[in-house]
């Protein structure tokens, strides 16, 4: 337990004790304090023990130290213990350890000068702070500026930023950065670059108002208040500057190591310039006014370059070159005036040497008379009531008068420059609000304090009073808002000190009164002060050792002021005669400086533009102006300063103030060096500690209920947690803190007294520590048990192995013993056996010889016996056979005789029986049975015979084999016997040979032994030789292998090197290509921006001619550049004409804007050329229009061809009527001759003749009609072709229709139908018979014939159409079947999940296609219905007109009630060619509906919809396609435009193509302000034939890039507000990171409230983007690029905020970020976008999150960090390590040494020094080419697009 509870977790408290060197020193109690103890036992951090004695009077205990977790907080008010040492320590830790120069102290921003350039003021930092809440980001001057800007826009109240501090603390720089922030964020209301002018005023004011002091190289020697004006849209329109208390004495005197104002040294450094030769300047050491300090140079500053910057700023502010040279002449004159010397005549007079060169130069530069100036420099005029005297003055007085003149001239020049700067920054637009930036001196105290320090400290007293009241007011408002009881807080009131200075009979009143006295001196004024205030005012004291000084107790410290020089500086007297000489100067600019400045008192006057004069020179008046003398003497410097200070306080009180307190860390300007003494002194002086004291007096710590619950949930039990968070917090606090005065419950917050948060943190830490101890206890027990079990297993294993080893050793011993015994046994056996073998061999030899002898004898005996047996056997056999043969012959003879006798007997019996029949029958019966039996027996005997024969055969075979074998044996024995005989003979010979062989064997053995020895020797030699050869061979093989390996490695290395070089070159080329593409797209973006600015300029110039209406509503300034993006009604040519007319008045009103001129010069030239081209084109079109009008007047109207066609039809009708009349007459005559009724019968000959004639007539009529119409139409077409090409109108189209009808055979049918409908009823019916039957018959037959023909043709055509449709359907079904089979085969290869998904996708695609086909058919039917209705109306109208004409020509008796039959005119379906026809006058309507209207949303270009939704709404549903866009073809507007271009190309109309493309491109630009190898043969037919549109390719490509960039910007605007909240602030994994205590600046809560963006919000928005892009048919490659860009924006913004927020740099936050990134990667996987490169853009963020989680202690950790964080720059790594903040006490801070180690390891890395990522960076876009599969002739135009005026061709 002791190991865990280290020193930091000691039971005793840590305190702060005073120290003379370090101001405060940390110590730790060694013993508990008990009431009454006088001494505390302390242990210092240095390791020493100390006895600290308590003050016996106050008995105050030392200040308690805050927990380590609270050290380094962004806000000092977040500290639990609020006191001076805690504030000092927190600032030091942030400044030294974390390199953070900004810290909040409630409403105050404390800025410590680092004396080093830091990369925290770039535009990327400004963009990061823009729009953020003040507590969400780390403290920064930009956060204060953003808060002021937001409050101005939100509360409609003016704001002020008060920047104060000592000289060298960085006030001017802070004010400069605040103004830069406003200029960057707000922009300007016009293109006059007001923000640049505001920033350009800084170098001018610094050059004439800043100087080097011992404390600061660029110290502001005046105070200034700059009001930056804004319009209603909160854009900068101008600025106004007020200055306070310029240090004029610096012009004539500088202390050691100080300089005069920078402008003098800049002039001297630029003296060699040609334009400065007339000033006759030299080195700064040659002038008295610039060499007194002895330090004319500033290290690291080039005065010549600064002079160039000053002149450039003057030019930008409209100060002309002549005025600039005038300023430099006056400044040079001041320098030369300082070199004017005086010689004493006597004690009361002096003189100037004759032709004194400095004075001559001064007079030449000033344009005044030398003698007159020389005279009045040595004399003065005294005026009395009666006369005027001229009195000489002494040398000292003359020197003082010269210096006073120089100071006065410089002060006037300073005021003149300020006035002109204000004029340049003045705006004619009415100011709606302003933000004031006050850069004013801080509290000053030196060894010798004079009038300047008195005024400065007086101003600081007023500002401190205002600050205290504001802080108290905020505290009071907070308590009242939260409805908690509050009491008055006791705070230091500055009002008594202010009254001492400015009240009646105050110090300033007495000073002014003494200045009016004729003989007033500093001593008399001091005595009046003593008499008035000494012992009467507690804040006024008199020094003990001086009667010419006084002491004032200021809020910061006591200051002793020396009275010497107060009156002179307050009067600021200059001789009137010298001023009059300067007023009479020939140099025109000089008298302007000395004009009467009475009207400059008003801050809004025209002369000073808001500046109150700071110095008033009471010039001695002439005799006739005594009233003016009195008036001027009243206006002393003190009086002016008091008035201007009152005006400033009124302004500040009317605004919402924001405070910036600048601290100077050391007096030696060392970077990041902290001097505690100087810091405490300034903290006391600037009011920071007073703010802390006021906060500590109330309830400084404030928590919302949700934050308190989230932080201290560990202190609650489960039963304490209720549904109501507020009640839960109340119940817990009542248990934890018994003193109810230590906290208060507000409406939304809990307020704590000082120290209570530290107490709660201690309880929380103790609880966590106890839990940690329990966890450690459990884990350590588990680890020890695990270790014990491991050791036990190890011991058992060791024992097992030891015992095994011993057993193996014993077994080895046994084996060795047994082996020895066995060896002995076998050796003994071998010896015995060898002996036995020798004996046995000898015995065997003897036995063999003996046995051989016995065997031979036995063999001989057996052989004899065998031969005897054979002889016996043969003989006995012969005898036996002979006896057998005799016996057999005798037996056979006897048998034959007996059988013969018996057979004879039987024969007799048989003969007798044969003679008897009965016997025969009887026998016959028995014979049958016997025969059968015999037959059976015969069969059995046959079987037995066969078996016996087989056995016999076998026996014979056996016998033969045995016999043969015996015979062979006998032969073999015979041979053996013979061989034995031979062998016996040979044995003897063999024995002899054996003896010989033994001798030979012995000899052979000896030879063999010698040979073996030689062979062994040869073998050894051979083996040695072979071994050496093998060794050499192995060495050679190794060398070969090494060489081969080296060759392979070299080849591999060369290959890898070449591949690497190739890859590097490829990457470099790709990078170069991307850079070039990015550069081109940026240039294109800049071009479009300049084009927009040019249009805005033209609109503004147009508006300047018109009086703007009051109450004009302006949008946010960030959209100012897009103001005119959707103004589509303005014509380009009109705005071009307006620009020259408005150019001249604008030049008169404002000075020339050089920067804008330089930026737009090239663009204006291009636009002028475009204007000239458009003007020429307009003139040419007007001429063509005039010519066409003239020709239209000469020729018939537009519908002449149509009228000719009607007249043609009318003539044909007349001729047809004549023919029909003739035929009817012939028929009538023929029928009248034969009046029989049979004639008219259907089968009659006359009827047949009539029908034949009718048929022939109709055929001839058709032929003649076609010929006539063809000839007439050709004549008409030739007549129309003679007309000019540009006057082609509807007649050409009509002729084309006629030609098509001719080609298709439709003219005949159309003509017949029209003839029937237009038939004239003027026939003479009297020529017919009375009832008109014949006419009716003829007419009916003709009509029946026509109807039959038309029906036949329609049926034929419908049949063909049906057949074609069926064939097409069969083909489509085949294709569908093949496709289904392919899909089925593919799906079967997929896994089940993918198979289901693929089937669903296929089904969706099929349904979508069917839906599209059905919609296309519906639209086609609608169009057909509309067309038929239109034709029906036309025909009905014509029929009505004809009927009316006929009724007028027919009498009532002639009218026949004949039914009107409808005429059926069948037409063939057109074979469309994929073109769209439109009229020239409909071009604007076409472009408007396609691009500017709703159709533009239906295709790929969806920017307009997204722009509106992004600019006004941020909901994702606004991005969804509107109307029927989902069901339309992607890119439909592009197809429609191309089909229109194809028709113009078909007509070969160049002007029509050019006009359509130009209108399209211009319309797309307004909305933004607001390849053939893949083609089919049919698509190749659709290519343009007459025009090459290559010149438009680059233009359209540029438009596509602009559309993409606009799309990215719109998506970024929608997504950006969600990123920080969703990726950083929201706790996706709840409970991982606790909320740390915060101060007054509350951060955005990480708990997901209603309306808070979470990670799910980002994912939903990304899903919305992706679905909309997919629904609009965007190319997948483009979708990948868009997603990559969105992920880059997410990563960049998240990382940038992480680098600027100390509270986000913790271990737990790293875990949250990594989890969020993993969710984004999962989204990419779901959308199949992992190969889009989006994940790689998140790599810096991933590495930053890993950096927050890895160990950061040892060198190995540093090496791991350096190798891991390759996507982060060195600055980013160091920044994250500096910002790393433990959330709990168990985490450790990163040590400074570890950060230095990281820096040392990364010093060789070449990366960008930029801290933040460029969140505005847009990757270059590449547009892939994907050929279209659509055929143009199949595209149907929906009626919803409103394009009914165009026709398909």
């Amino acid at each position: 337990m002791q190991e865990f509870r280290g020193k930091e977790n000691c039971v005793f408290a840590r305190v702060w004790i005073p120290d003379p060197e370090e101001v405060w020193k940390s110590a730790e109690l060694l013993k508990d304090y008990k009431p009454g103890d006088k001494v505390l036992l302390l242990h210092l951090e240095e390791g020493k023990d100390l006895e600290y004695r308590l003050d016996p009077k106050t008995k105050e205990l030392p200040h308690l130290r805050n927990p380590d977790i609270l050290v380094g907080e962004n806000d000092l008010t977040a500290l639990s213990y609020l006191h001076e040492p805690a504030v000092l320590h927190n600032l030091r830790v942030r400044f030294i350890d974390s390199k953070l120069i900004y810290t909040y102290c409630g409403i105050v921003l404390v800025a410590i000068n680092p004396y080093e350039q830091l990369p925290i003021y770039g535009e990327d930092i400004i963009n990061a702070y823009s729009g953020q809440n003040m507590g969400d980001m780390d403290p920064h001057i930009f956060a204060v500026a953003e808060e002021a800007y937001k409050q101005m826009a939100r509360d409609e109240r003016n704001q002020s930023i008060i920047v104060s501090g000592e000289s060298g603390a960085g006030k001017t720089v802070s004010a400069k950065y605040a103004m830069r922030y406003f200029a960057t964020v707000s922009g300007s209301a016009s293109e006059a670059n007001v923000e640049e002018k505001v920033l350009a005023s800084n170098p001018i004011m610094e050059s004439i108002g800043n100087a080097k002091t011992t404390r600061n190289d660029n110290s502001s020697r005046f105070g200034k208040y700059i009001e930056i004006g804004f319009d209603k849209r909160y854009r900068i329109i101008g600025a106004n500057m007020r200055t306070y208390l310029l240090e004029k004495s610096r012009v004539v005197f500088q202390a050691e190591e100080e300089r005069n104002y920078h402008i003098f040294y800049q002039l001297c450094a630029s003296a060699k310039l040609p334009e400065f030769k007339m000033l006759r300047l030299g080195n700064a050491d040659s002038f008295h006014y610039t060499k007194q300090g002895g330090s004319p140079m500033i290290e690291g500053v080039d005065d010549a370059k600064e002079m160039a910057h000053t002149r450039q700023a003057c030019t930008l502010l409209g100060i002309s070159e002549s005025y600039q040279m005038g300023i430099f002449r006056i400044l040079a004159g001041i320098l030369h005036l300082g070199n004017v010397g005086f010689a004493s005549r006597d004690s009361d007079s002096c003189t100037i040497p004759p032709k004194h060169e400095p004075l001559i130069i001064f007079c030449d530069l000033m344009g005044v008379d030398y003698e007159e100036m020389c005279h009045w420099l040595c004399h003065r005029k005294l005026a009395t009531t009666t006369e005027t005297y001229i009195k000489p003055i002494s040398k000292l007085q003359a020197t003082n008068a010269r210096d006073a003149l120089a100071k006065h001239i410089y002060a006037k020049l300073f005021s003149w420059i300020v006035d002109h700067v204000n004029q340049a920054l003045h705006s004619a637009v009415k100011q709606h609000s302003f933000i004031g930036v006050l850069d004013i001196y801080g509290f000053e105290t030196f060894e010798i304090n004079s009038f300047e320090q008195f005024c400065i400290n007086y101003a600081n007293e007023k500002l401190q009073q205002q600050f205290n009241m504001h802080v108290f007011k905020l505290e009071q408002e907070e308590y009242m808002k939260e409805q908690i009881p509050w009491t008055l807080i006791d705070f230091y009131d500055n009002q008594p000190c202010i009254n001492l200075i400015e009240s009646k009979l105050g110090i300033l009143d007495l000073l002014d009164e003494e200045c009016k006295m004729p003989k007033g001196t500093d001593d008399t004024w001091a005595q009046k002060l003593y008499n008035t205030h000494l012992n009467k005012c507690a804040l006024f004291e008199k020094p003990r050792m001086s009667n010419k000084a006084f002491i004032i107790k200021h809020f910061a410290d006591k200051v002793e002021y020396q009275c010497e020089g107060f009156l002179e500086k307050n009067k600021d007297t200059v001789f009137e005669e010298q001023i009059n000489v300067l007023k009479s100067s020939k140099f025109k600019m000089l008298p302007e400086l000395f004009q009467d400045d009475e009207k400059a008192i008003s801050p809004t006057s025209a002369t000073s533009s808001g500046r109150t004069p700071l110095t008033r020179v009471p010039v001695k008046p002439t005799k006739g102006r005594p009233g003016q003398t009195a008036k001027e003497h009243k206006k002393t410097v003190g009086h002016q300063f008091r008035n201007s200070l009152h005006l400033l306080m009124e302004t500040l009180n009317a605004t919402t103030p924001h405070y910036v307190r600048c601290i100077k860390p050391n007096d030696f300007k060392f970077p990041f060096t902290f001097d505690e003494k100087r810091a405490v002194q300034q903290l006391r002086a600037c009011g920071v500690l007073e703010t802390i004291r006021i906060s500590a007096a109330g309830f400084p710590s404030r928590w919302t209920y949700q934050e308190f619950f989230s932080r201290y949930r560990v202190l609650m039990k489960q039963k304490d947690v209720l549904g109501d968070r507020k009640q839960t917090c109340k119940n817990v606090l009542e248990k934890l803190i018994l003193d109810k005065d230590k906290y208060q419950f507000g409406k939304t917050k809990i307020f704590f007294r000082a120290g209570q948060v530290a107490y709660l943190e201690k309880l929380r830490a103790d609880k966590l520590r106890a839990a940690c101890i329990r966890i450690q206890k459990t884990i350590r027990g588990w680890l020890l048990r695990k270790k014990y079990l491991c050791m036990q297993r190890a011991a058992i294993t060791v024992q097992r192995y030891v015992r095994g080893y011993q057993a193996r050793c014993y077994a080895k011993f046994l084996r060795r013993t047994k082996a020895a015994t066995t060896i002995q046994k076998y050796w003994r056996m071998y010896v015995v056996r060898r002996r036995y073998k020798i004996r046995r061999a000898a015995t065997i030899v003897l036995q063999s010889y003996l046995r051989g002898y016995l065997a031979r004898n036995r063999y001989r005996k057996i052989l004899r016996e065998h031969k005897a047996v054979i002889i016996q056997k043969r003989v006995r056999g012969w005898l036996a056979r002979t006896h057998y043969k005799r016996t057999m012959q005798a037996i056979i003879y006897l048998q034959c005789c007996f059988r013969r006798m018996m057979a004879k007997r039987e024969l007799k019996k048989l003969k007798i029986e044969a003679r008897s029949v009965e016997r025969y029958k009887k026998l016959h019966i028995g014979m049958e049975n016997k025969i059968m039996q015999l037959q059976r027996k015969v069969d059995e005997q046959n079987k037995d015979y066969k078996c016996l024969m087989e056995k016999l055969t076998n026996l014979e075979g056996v016998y033969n084999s045995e016999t043969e074998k015996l015979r062979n044996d006998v032969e073999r024995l015979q041979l053996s016997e013979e061989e034995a005989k031979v062998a016996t003979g040979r044995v003897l010979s063999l024995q002899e040979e054996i003896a010989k062989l033994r001798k030979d064997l012995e000899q052979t053995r000896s030879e063999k032994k010698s040979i073996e020895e030689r062979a062994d020797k040869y073998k050894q030699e051979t083996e040695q030789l072979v071994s050496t050869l093998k060794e050499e061979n192995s060495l050679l093989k190794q060398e070969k292998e090494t060489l081969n390996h080296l060759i392979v490695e070299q080849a591999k290395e060369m290959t890898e090197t070449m591949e690497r070089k190739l890859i590097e070159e490829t990457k470099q080329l790709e990078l170069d290509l991307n850079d070039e593409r990015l550069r081109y797209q940026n240039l294109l973006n800049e071009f479009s921006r300049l084009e927009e600015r040019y249009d805005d300029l033209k609109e503004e110039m147009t508006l300047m001619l018109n009086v703007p209406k009051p109450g004009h509503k302006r949008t946010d300034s960030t959209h100012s550049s897009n103001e005119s993006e959707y103004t589509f009604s303005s014509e380009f040519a009109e705005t071009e004409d307006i620009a020259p007319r408005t150019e001249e008045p604008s030049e008169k009103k404002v000075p020339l804007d050089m920067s804008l001129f330089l930026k737009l010069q090239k663009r204006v030239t291009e636009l002028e050329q475009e204007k000239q081209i458009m003007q020429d084109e307009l003139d040419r079109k007007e001429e063509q229009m005039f010519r066409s009008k003239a020709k239209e007047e000469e020729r018939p109207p537009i519908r002449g061809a149509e009228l000719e066609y009607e007249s043609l039809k009318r003539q044909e009708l007349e001729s047809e009527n004549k023919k029909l009349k003739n035929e009817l007459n012939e028929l009538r005559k023929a029928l009248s001759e034969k009046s029989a009724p049979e004639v008219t019968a259907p089968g009659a000959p006359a009827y047949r003749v009539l029908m034949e004639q009718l048929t022939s007539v109709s055929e001839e009529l058709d032929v003649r009609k076609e010929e006539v119409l063809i000839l007439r139409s050709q004549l008409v077409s030739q007549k129309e072709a003679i007309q000019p090409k540009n006057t082609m109108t509807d007649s050409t189209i009509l002729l084309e229709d006629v030609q098509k009808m001719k080609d298709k055979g439709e003219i005949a049918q159309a003509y017949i139908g029209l003839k029937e409908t237009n038939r004239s009823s003027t026939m003479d019916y009297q020529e017919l018979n009375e009832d008109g039957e014949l006419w009716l018959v003829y007419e009916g037959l003709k009509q029946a014939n026509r109807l039959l023909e038309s029906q036949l043709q329609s049926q034929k055509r419908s049949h063909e159409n049906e057949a074609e449709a069926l064939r097409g359907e069969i083909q489509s079904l085949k294709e569908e079947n093949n496709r289904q089979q392919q899909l089925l085969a593919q799906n079967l290869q997929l896994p089940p999940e993918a198979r289901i998904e693929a089937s669903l996708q296929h089904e969706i695609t099929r349904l979508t296609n069917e839906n599209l086909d059905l919609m296309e058919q519906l639209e086609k039917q609608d169009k057909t219905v509309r067309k038929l209705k239109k034709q029906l109306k036309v025909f009905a109208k014509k029929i009505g007109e004809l009927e009316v004409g006929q009724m007028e020509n027919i009498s009532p008796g002639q009218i026949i009630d004949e039914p009107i039959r409808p005429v059926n005119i069948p037409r063939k379906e057109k074979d469309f060619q994929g073109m769209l026809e439109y009229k020239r006058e409909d071009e604007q309507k076409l472009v408007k509906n396609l691009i500017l209207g709703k159709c533009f949303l239906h295709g790929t270009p969806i920017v307009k919809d997204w722009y509106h939704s992004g600019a006004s709404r941020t909901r994702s549903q606004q991005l969804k396609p509107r109307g029927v866009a989902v069901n339309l073809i992607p890119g439909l507007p592009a197809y429609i435009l191309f089909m229109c271009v194809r028709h113009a190309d078909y007509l070969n109309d160049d002007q029509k193509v050019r006009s359509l493309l130009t209108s399209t491109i211009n319309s797309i630009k307004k909305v933004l302000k607001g390849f053939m190898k893949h083609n089919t043969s049919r698509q190749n037919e659709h290519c343009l034939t007459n025009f090459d549109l290559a010149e438009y390719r680059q233009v359209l490509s540029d438009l596509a890039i602009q559309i993409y960039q606009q799309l990215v910007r719109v998506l970024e605007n929608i997504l950006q507000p969600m990123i920080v909240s969703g990726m950083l602030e929201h706790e996706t994994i709840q409970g991982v990171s606790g909320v740390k205590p915060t101060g007054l600046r509350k951060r955005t809560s990480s708990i997901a409230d209603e309306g808070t963006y979470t990670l799910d919000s980002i994912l939903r928005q990304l899903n919305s983007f992706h679905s909309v892009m997919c629904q609009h048919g965007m190319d997948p490659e483009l979708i990948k690029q868009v997603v990559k860009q969105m992920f880059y924006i997410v990563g960049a913004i998240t990382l940038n905020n992480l680098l600027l927020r100390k509270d986000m740099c913790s271990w737990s936050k790293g875990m949250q970020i990594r989890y969020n990134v993993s969710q984004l990667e999962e989204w990419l996987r779901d959308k199949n976008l992992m190969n889009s490169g989006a994940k790689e853009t998140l790599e810096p963020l991933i590495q930053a999150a890993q950096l927050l989680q890895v160990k950061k202690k040892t060198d190995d950790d540093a090496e791991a960090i350096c190798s891991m964080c390759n996507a982060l720059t060195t600055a980013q790594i160091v920044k994250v390590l500096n910002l790393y903040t433990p959330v709990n006490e168990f985490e450790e801070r990163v040590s400074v040494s570890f950060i230095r180690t990281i820096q040392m390891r990364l010093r060789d890395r070449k990366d960008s020094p930029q801290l933040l990522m460029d969140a505005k960076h847009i990757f270059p876009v590449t547009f892939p080419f994907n050929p279209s599969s659509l055929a143009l002739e199949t595209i149907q135009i929906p009626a919803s697009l409103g394009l009914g005026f165009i026709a398909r061709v």
Side-chain angles (χ1 to χ4, degrees), residues 1773-1787:
I1773 296 173
V1774 174
K1775 183 69 173 178
V1776 171
L1777 293 176
N1778 279 325
L1779 293 180
Y1780 183 79
T1781 305
V1783 179
N1784 293 303
E1785 289 187 352
F1786 309 110
E1787 301 179 37

Side-chain angles (χ1 to χ4, degrees), residues 568-584:
E568 185 66 27
K569 292 177 181 179
N570 191 39
K571 291 178 182 179
D572 198 16
T573 305
V574 179
F575 294 154
E576 182 182 6
E577 294 76 13
Q578 297 173 358
I579 301 300
N580 291 332
V581 173
L582 294 178
K583 285 183 178 180
S584 62

Side-chain angles (χ1 to χ4, degrees), residues 1528-1667:
L1528 296 183
I1529 301 172
L1532 181 60
Y1535 286 111
I1536 295 174
L1537 288 174
F1538 180 68
M1539 293 165 73
C1540 294
V1541 171
R1542 283 198 63 238
H1543 185 263
D1545 173 71
Y1546 175 75
L1547 298 178
N1548 199 11
D1549 193 344
D1550 186 17
Q1551 296 296 327
K1552 196 172 185 180
V1553 173
R1554 188 176 298 276
S1555 175
L1556 178 60
L1557 289 177
T1558 304
S1559 301
T1560 302
I1561 292 171
N1562 291 334
S1563 301
I1564 293 176
K1565 285 185 177 181
K1566 289 180 181 179
V1567 171
L1568 287 178
K1569 287 184 180 180
F1571 293 91
M1572 295 181 58
K1573 64 181 179 180
H1574 299 283
N1575 290 352
T1576 62
S1577 59
R1578 185 66 175 173
Q1579 288 176 329
N1580 288 330
E1581 293 176 4
H1582 292 165
C1583 296
L1584 303 186
T1585 58
N1586 296 315
F1587 301 115
D1588 183 13
L1589 304 182
E1591 57 180 312
Y1592 293 97
R1593 186 176 300 163
Q1594 186 62 37
V1595 179
L1596 294 175
S1597 176
D1598 294 346
L1599 284 176
I1601 292 173
Q1602 295 179 23
I1603 291 172
Y1604 175 82
Q1605 292 176 347
Q1606 184 75 0
L1607 171 63
V1608 169
R1609 283 193 290 269
V1610 170
L1611 300 185
E1612 178 183 354
N1613 292 335
I1614 298 173
L1615 193 61
Q1616 187 171 357
M1618 309 178 182
I1619 296 174
V1620 178
S1621 178
M1623 293 293 294
L1624 280 179
E1625 295 174 350
H1626 175 64
E1627 290 189 10
T1628 314
I1629 309 174
Q1630 293 292 335
V1632 172
S1633 59
V1635 182
K1636 286 185 63 178
T1638 57
L1640 180 65
R1641 308 290 184 186
K1642 303 300 286 185
R1643 292 187 296 270
T1644 304
S1645 176
S1646 62
I1647 293 93
D1649 298 330
E1650 185 177 357
T1652 302
Y1653 292 115
T1654 63
L1655 180 63
D1656 293 337
S1657 304
I1658 298 177
L1659 295 177
R1660 284 195 300 269
Q1661 193 62 59
L1662 291 174
N1663 281 326
S1664 175
F1665 292 160
H1666 186 266
S1667 62

